[in-house]
Amino acid sequence: MQYLASSVDYQDGYEIHLTCFTCTSNEKPTKLSVHSEYIWTTPDHIYDYNFFKSDKMLVEALKGVWPCLTKPMKPKY
């Protein structure tokens, strides 16, 4: 596991700190501690999902480790 990037988001009066790590695994997560669902994706499909501004900053940081990420991101509505 290696640190990739961090960002901050403000929602409903709360400051949310996001930290992104790159990692590999042969197993899927079995327990989520914060979210109700997760999605495994590949560089070809990461732009199929809408992201909040703070998440977009982390996806942009992924371009350094996934050079094939070149499409523009969809806006979050």
Side-chain angles (χ1 to χ4, degrees):
M1 181 165 53
Q2 183 174 341
Y3 172 81
L4 178 65
S6 296
S7 68
V8 178
D9 194 12
Y10 301 92
Q11 296 178 17
D12 300 325
Y14 293 95
E15 183 176 278
I16 301 166
H17 295 259
L18 303 169
T19 305
C20 183
F21 295 87
T22 59
C23 61
T24 59
S25 177
N26 293 326
E27 299 177 20
K28 290 185 178 183
T30 57
K31 179 183 175 192
L32 299 176
S33 59
V34 177
H35 296 288
S36 59
E37 62 182 298
Y38 65 90
I39 297 170
W40 287 100
T41 191
T42 64
D44 293 338
H45 293 281
I46 197 163
Y47 294 110
D48 294 349
Y49 306 97
N50 291 320
F51 293 92
F52 288 103
K53 183 178 179 181
S54 56
D55 296 325
K56 286 181 184 181
M57 293 168 53
L58 300 178
V59 174
E60 291 296 318
L62 280 171
K63 286 182 178 180
V65 293
W66 279 353
C68 54
L69 293 177
T70 56
K71 296 180 190 176
M73 297 190 71
K74 293 180 182 180
K76 179 74 177 171
Y77 39 145

